[in-house]
Amino acid sequence: MGHVRLEAITWERLGDLLADRLLDLKPQDGSPWPRIAFDGAPAARPGDLAERVAETLRTRGRPSRVVDTQGFLRPASVRLEYGRHDVEAYYDGWFDTGALWREVFGPLESGGDGRILPDLWDPVTDRATRSPYVQLPPGGFLLLHGPLLLRHWFPFDLTVHVLLSPPALLRRTPEADRWTLPAFERYDQETDPAVAADVLVRADDPRHPAWNG
């Protein structure tokens, strides 16, 4: 990403500018629900940015729904079939992408009813959440956040990648979770999210982000 020019910005200003950009976003497939990705390793905290944008949209009178892919983990019996620290399983099999397609993206297609499931599985209890469906009104935004999002061909209308350099990712990842780091190395090599994303945010110093505008 050496050719990508980044400018310093505050998180507050970044939330404002992203929300402003979303207000003019028109899904190419004719859907009335723009779908936004906030992609990044857990240590990059992409969900914090998604929540910030959602709050800014609210103040502008536009509804949104923040969805965390952690709510669409597969059951532990599936995720951990090859052990608790299997990198291949984490990369390819921890998240129930089929459920995301069915319960989140399907209802937001052109002609859909806008009723999405905000989560499906509780990773703490390892049981179904039994959460009720929620109605996203036309013009409302889906703000989906989680890791490895840009490799699944989800129909996003705008993608934001929150980047950590390898040293920062190592430093900010809890020791118990560092076994996942090779998955993010592979993701960088195969998907190159820093280039593939529409918006790049670098967050090595969590107090002083930078972005590509």
Side-chain angles (χ1 to χ4, degrees):
M1 58 159 290
H3 63 284
V4 178
R5 181 181 177 85
L6 299 176
E7 299 179 355
I9 194 171
T10 65
W11 288 112
E12 182 178 12
R13 180 64 174 155
L14 178 59
D16 288 344
L17 291 176
L18 284 176
D20 288 342
R21 181 167 177 175
L22 296 189
L23 294 178
D24 296 325
L25 188 63
K26 305 295 183 187
Q28 292 186 358
D29 65 355
S31 167
W33 300 283
R35 296 143 297 193
I36 320 303
F38 291 83
D39 175 61
R45 305 183 66 86
D48 290 356
L49 182 55
E51 293 286 357
R52 183 180 293 275
V53 171
E55 176 59 21
T56 305
L57 287 169
R58 185 190 66 78
T59 65
R60 285 158 167 71
R62 293 292 295 274
S64 65
R65 184 74 191 194
V66 177
V67 175
D68 184 352
T69 59
Q70 279 289 114
F72 288 85
L73 286 173
R74 296 183 186 277
S77 60
V78 177
R79 297 197 316 272
L80 309 180
E81 180 180 2
Y82 300 104
R84 291 186 174 274
H85 297 157
D86 188 277
V87 176
E88 293 295 321
Y90 179 76
Y91 192 73
D92 285 322
W94 269 43
F95 297 94
D96 193 342
T97 55
L100 282 165
W101 277 102
R102 182 178 66 253
E103 305 290 359
V104 179
F105 288 103
L108 302 182
E109 293 177 348
S110 179
D113 62 10
R115 293 179 69 250
I116 65 173
L117 192 64
D119 51 59
L120 180 65
W121 200 258
D122 186 332
V124 177
T125 63
D126 198 38
R127 294 181 179 178
T129 58
R130 303 191 185 278
S131 295
Y133 285 86
V134 296
Q135 185 72 47
L136 191 61
F141 297 90
L142 169 69
L143 309 178
L144 181 71
H145 67 88
L148 312 173
L149 285 179
L150 306 188
R151 59 181 296 266
H152 296 298
W153 300 101
F154 289 138
F156 292 117
D157 301 298
L158 186 78
T159 55
V160 180
H161 177 64
V162 184
L163 172 71
L164 294 179
S165 66
L169 180 59
L170 175 62
R171 183 174 65 251
R172 292 173 55 185
T173 299
E175 186 172 354
D177 297 327
R178 288 179 180 172
W179 64 270
T180 64
L181 296 183
F184 294 104
E185 293 177 13
R186 178 179 172 186
Y187 183 51
D188 288 344
Q189 293 169 2
E190 295 184 354
T191 304
D192 199 359
V195 172
D198 299 307
V199 177
L200 177 64
V201 178
R202 187 159 192 163
D204 284 8
D205 183 342
R207 300 165 300 176
H208 303 292
W211 78 317
N212 64 350

